[in-house]
Amino acid sequence: MATPTTAGGRSSRRSRLIFGIGLPVALAAVGTTVVVLVRSGEAGDDFPGTARIGVMGPMSGKFQSSRGTALWAGAQLAVAEYNSANPPGRAELVRLDTKNADPQEGTRQAREAVRLGVDAVVGPMMSGESQQAVEILAPQKIPSVSPTHDNYGLSGDHRKYWFTMRPDFEKPADDLARLVVRQRETEKVVVVDDGLAPTADVFEAGVKAGGKSVRRVRIPVPPDDEKHDFRPAAKQLKDADAIYYGGVGDRTVRLIREARAAGFTGRFYLGDGSLNSWFLKEAANGEAEGSVLICSCVRFTGAAAVPLPPRLADFASRYAKANGGKEPADDVPEAYDSTWAILHAVKDGKRTGEQISDYLIGMSRPGATQRIRFDAHGLLLDSVSYAYQVKGGRFVFLGDSTAALR
């Protein structure tokens, strides 16, 4: 393991100890964090230029640190695989920990990325840190590819340097509406709207376009210190065949309980904000059984009603081999693809942020989750949504949303 050293001048920024992946995948198999000494490849260096990729997300603290850890794990695997092929220019990762997804940490870590001279960033992950970080990274022509943040209101030249592996939030809601339309036994659909889930309009429009009967039940938004009261609305739900609600957290669980108590026996269709272990734990009494959720993300749930697509099965196998048999955690596949997209640019000889950004805009490459293609605004083209269902108290993978539940 290298000993910390510091060189003078510009090389002092580029010749630092970082959390490295410049070793074979085998090192990742035991979950080891390797510290290596890298150099920039400037005149006089002994080996060609090393691409430095920052990984920005909350990797410590009580809030969202599991997601930041998943971000790091996905990036680790991508860079380990890349370096194991002995490319002419290697890649290294730089940890940019936003600690509890604090927006101010987004600012600090973006400045650190500039100071260290990173070539591109995987992340940020969350809305607040993204708003702060990208405003610093983009003017410095440092592209960032977020695995999880689906939309960011950049404009002008700034937009050129921001990309996302998640489509706009409207995409999953529209896909879920199409899935509902395919269900022959479903004719009466209710959209529960509390004003906090912006997907209600998208879902309702999709169901109407498919010829189904749909009505909206509105619930007043309570003050911040009060909980939603779903009981009055629940009385209007019992005769529906299906209920859609795009809310998150305990609101979803309470809606389900009140609707069941009022006599609703149909199926719930939910937003991807409920696709987490907390929801399953809170809904463990079986009231959510049969609920269907769609996400523009990949979740390896441990159970599947259909075989995994080959690209996902292959990715899961490679990840398990490199991580002691573990299944990829949430956000790992998208983090891998975000890193892999940058590495494709590096492999093609792109080194500056502007070169990498130009490459990403025009790329079309298969990834672990889907084919990676961006439009001129950094948004994913032809994205895929996947369906999941609550069965036996756990999420079951149903496959591509266009074919699920046929």
Side-chain angles (χ1 to χ4, degrees):
M1 190 172 291
T3 302
T5 62
T6 303
R10 175 175 164 79
S11 294
S12 66
R13 295 205 315 267
R14 306 281 295 198
S15 302
R16 289 179 176 272
L17 288 177
I18 62 174
F19 297 92
I21 309 301
L23 296 176
V25 181
L27 286 174
V30 292
T32 304
T33 298
V34 183
V35 183
V36 298
L37 182 65
V38 299
R39 292 187 286 184
S40 66
E42 297 176 10
D45 277 353
D46 298 330
F47 46 89
T50 298
R52 308 194 71 194
I53 301 173
V55 180
M56 184 181 295
M59 300 176 214
S60 64
K62 296 181 179 179
F63 179 69
Q64 298 289 354
S65 60
S66 62
R67 299 190 72 182
T69 302
L71 176 72
W72 182 257
Q76 269 193 320
L77 180 61
V79 174
E81 290 180 344
Y82 175 81
N83 283 339
S84 68
N86 295 315
R90 298 174 72 77
E92 305 285 352
L93 297 181
V94 178
R95 190 185 293 265
L96 301 169
D97 183 5
T98 58
K99 299 175 184 176
N100 290 308
D102 181 353
Q104 297 308 312
E105 282 295 336
T107 297
R108 284 189 281 271
Q109 293 305 316
R111 289 173 177 162
E112 183 70 357
V114 173
R115 187 181 73 83
L116 294 174
V118 302
D119 302 299
V121 168
V122 175
M125 298 192 73
M126 315 298 289
S127 176
E129 62 185 20
S130 294
Q131 291 170 359
Q132 299 296 323
V134 179
E135 294 292 345
I136 294 172
L137 298 174
Q140 297 296 320
K141 299 183 177 180
I142 299 175
S144 57
V145 185
S146 177
T148 57
H149 186 36
D150 60 8
N151 199 1
Y152 183 63
L154 288 174
S155 60
D157 291 341
H158 282 26
R159 190 91 202 191
K160 175 181 177 181
Y161 296 96
W162 180 84
F163 302 84
T164 176
M165 280 294 160
R166 293 282 293 272
D168 190 272
F169 67 88
E170 294 184 352
K171 165 70 174 170
D174 186 57
D175 288 343
L176 187 56
R178 294 172 188 270
L179 188 155
V180 171
V181 167
R182 294 199 306 269
Q183 308 311 302
R184 293 181 179 179
E185 71 279 9
T186 301
E187 291 297 332
K188 295 180 292 183
V189 182
V190 170
V191 174
V192 176
D193 179 13
D194 61 2
L196 300 178
T199 56
D201 290 341
V202 177
F203 180 85
E204 182 176 354
V207 172
K208 283 182 176 179
K212 300 286 187 180
S213 170
V214 58
R215 61 188 174 89
R216 187 177 299 210
V217 173
R218 300 183 185 275
I219 299 174
V221 178
D224 291 342
D225 59 345
E226 296 180 15
K227 292 185 176 182
H228 283 54
D229 185 359
F230 287 107
R231 287 173 296 180
K235 297 176 182 179
Q236 307 176 52
L237 305 177
K238 63 180 181 179
D239 294 330
D241 299 320
I243 293 174
Y244 171 77
Y245 180 58
V248 298
D250 67 335
R251 297 197 301 272
T252 306
V253 174
R254 285 188 285 113
L255 170 64
I256 290 174
R257 287 175 179 167
E258 294 297 342
R260 294 295 191 210
F264 173 70
T265 60
R267 178 180 289 163
F268 290 96
Y269 292 88
L270 307 173
D272 59 11
S274 296
L275 191 60
N276 54 60
S277 58
W278 183 91
F279 173 80
L280 287 180
K281 181 180 179 181
E282 293 298 310
N285 58 3
E287 292 164 329
E289 188 74 6
S291 297
V292 173
L293 308 88
I294 284 189
C295 186
S296 55
C297 57
V298 175
R299 296 288 187 264
F300 290 93
T301 63
V306 298
L308 289 174
R311 65 174 178 273
L312 294 181
D314 178 64
F315 174 76
S317 176
R318 297 192 333 263
Y319 183 86
K321 184 177 180 180
N323 290 274
K326 292 181 180 178
E327 194 171 63
D330 296 354
D331 302 320
V332 166
E334 290 80 14
Y336 175 93
D337 274 356
S338 298
T339 312
W340 199 241
I342 295 169
L343 291 171
H344 274 300
V346 172
K347 185 177 180 180
D348 200 47
K350 313 306 180 186
R351 284 297 185 272
T352 69
E354 189 165 18
Q355 290 173 343
I356 293 173
S357 180
D358 287 341
Y359 181 93
L360 293 175
I361 291 172
M363 80 176 296
S364 179
R365 299 272 187 174
T369 60
Q370 58 195 303
R371 177 164 286 274
I372 304 171
R373 296 175 60 224
F374 299 106
D375 66 15
H377 299 290
L379 299 176
L380 204 59
L381 288 167
D382 303 324
S383 58
V384 178
S385 293
Y386 292 101
Y388 305 84
Q389 188 170 27
V390 179
K391 288 186 177 182
R394 60 179 178 171
F395 292 120
V396 173
F397 178 77
L398 300 181
D400 188 321
S401 64
T402 62
L405 296 180
R406 283 194 182 278

